[in-house]
Amino acid sequence: MVASNKKIETAAPTNIVIFGVTGDLSKRKLMPALVRMLCCGLVHTDSKIIGVVNNRTEEVWINLVREGMQEFSPEIVEDESRWKKFLARLIMVPGDLGDETTYQRLAEALVELDGKKNAMFYCAIPPDWYGKVTSGLRKAGLANEDDGYRRLVIEKPFGHNLESARALNKELQSVFKEEQIYRIDHYLGKESVQNLLVYRFANSIMEPLWNRNYIDHIQISTAETLGIEYRAKYYERSGALRDMIQSHLMQMMTLVAMEPPVEFTADAVRDEKMKVLRAIRSIKPEEIKLHAVSAQYASGTVEGEAAKAYVSEEFVSPDSATETFAAVRFYIDNWRWEGVPFILWSGKRMKSKSSEVMIRFRKPPFNLFDSHASAPAANALVFRLQPESGVVLRLNAKKPGLTTDNEEMVMRAPYAADEGEVADAYEILMHDVLTGDGTLFSRADEVESSWQIVEPILDAWKNRVSVERYRAGTWDIPAMDELTKDCVGGWHKPTVHK
Ligand code: BG6
């Protein structure tokens, strides 16, 4: 067994190439993260940031970058010397991503840094373009690693079902080796998600309880108050099952359920996650109604503001049956988890925003203190991921006074004193790409396996013409009570822990 740790180190000087550099992801997340990484030494100061830009002059592009910075990292623009240092890192390569000569120009633009032409290619572009970009890179000789490392970063969705995910993996792997491909799931970059691993494997009190003998069930959830915002075109084809459950929540489930890996390295961790996915019981078409729930938000009031119905959002079809809430109850057929329901659920326009992993323990086998009070509640351990992160433990304690009546005592341990201490997911993940650590990225087999697991549900929901509704800003989804009726405590609505 090898003890290993995540290293915070300055990566080798790299050409950081961004496709889609004028888009929203780049403006909101990538550029601000890169600036902070440069400032704190996580990106080597000799590194270059190369934007592939179509139909814009360099001046227009730089102005766009400046405007984005003004909005998301104003401290950089306001400090003239920092802005100039950042500006000196930027290089523009003009060209259309569909045109092969763009990649030739890109190859010529790669700067030799410390004798190498290391490059990270970040695809902040719609997935339909991944194939074009990888083939352009291949033809320009930019996938081989003769004169420096070459790493490709792609964002979800990795396909929209098993077949398309397989095709995408095949396409990418025909150009890059699997170790060169980094599939970003930004949930795995959240510090609080990684903290799950530390809680599990750095505390010896967890392991003896972490199994079917003590745990009644587990709920892994993400509730959002936002609607679909400007993403109707994507969301109409996606829905909550694809958007959140197949990706973020199933990834979290694998971290919660996996066996201790032999070391904290990419393949050791991913091998354990894969074993969990392989052990998930498949859901037969005739059982889908029993194990999965879907619903769509109707109009309502969210955090005091009127919210329109999903079907009234711009670009959404008025008779759309796309789900904005989805839940699935999984079972993991192995020695540790046999019979323990894992309920994964996620919804938009819910009553409050929260992401949590809730471990509900079994009830005490016998109630010794059954006097006037109600029976002691089953204990719960909640890993709160956001908005604030930390751990909550619910225990039973004696009420002060002469009786032995009990009441629930809630112990809260916040994770970081303030938000500023927590690194942004994109900083963590880009640093990992630059240092070549794939632990927090999804491997091809994981992606395919999770599609395979949800595929029967996708098929069953594909052609339906209607879907249950819930009022925006509420938890009014009766089917969730039915889904969790055999679980101690039922459907766990996160606000209870605030
Ligand atoms: C994205 C989904 O992957 O994650 C969005 O496509 C969702 O629909 C988002 O809103 C949630 O991420 P976070 O970090 O805000 O919880």
Side-chain angles (χ1 to χ4, degrees), residues 33 54 81 84 91 106 121 153 162 169 230 235 258 260 262 267 272 295 300 318-319 324 373 384-385 428 436 467 476:
N54 194 20
S81 88
K84 281 203 171 130
I91 298 175
L106 177 60
F121 301 112
V153 185
L162 177 60
N169 282 336
Y230 51 91
Y235 205 85
M258 73 181 187
V262 287
D267 275 332
E272 294 306 331
D319 51 7
T324 58
R384 226 171 133 77
L385 310 175
I428 295 177
V467 60
D476 289 348

Side-chain angles (χ1 to χ4, degrees), residues 254-275:
T254 59
L255 297 182
V256 171
M258 73 181 187
E259 295 302 310
V262 287
E263 55 183 6
F264 193 52
T265 54
D267 275 332
V269 171
R270 296 190 292 189
D271 287 348
E272 294 306 331
K273 287 164 68 194
M274 249 327 274
K275 285 187 206 161

Side-chain angles (χ1 to χ4, degrees), residues 29 156 186-187 190 222 224 226-227 229 231 234-235 243-244 247-248 348 353 355 386:
K29 295 288 184 186
K156 78 173 244 289
H186 81 279
Y187 261 65
K190 288 182 193 279
T222 294
E224 296 180 272
L226 289 176
E229 298 185 285
R231 298 164 71 224
Y234 153 76
Y235 205 85
D243 188 43
M244 296 296 291
S247 49
H248 307 318
K348 293 197 181 285
K353 176 179 166 69
S355 298
Q386 53 190 33

Side-chain angles (χ1 to χ4, degrees), residues 395-414:
L395 296 171
N396 296 298
K398 191 179 107 46
K399 268 191 186 165
L402 296 180
T403 71
T404 51
D405 288 356
N406 67 80
E407 64 185 355
E408 220 181 22
M409 181 176 85
V410 181
M411 293 168 68
R412 293 186 172 84

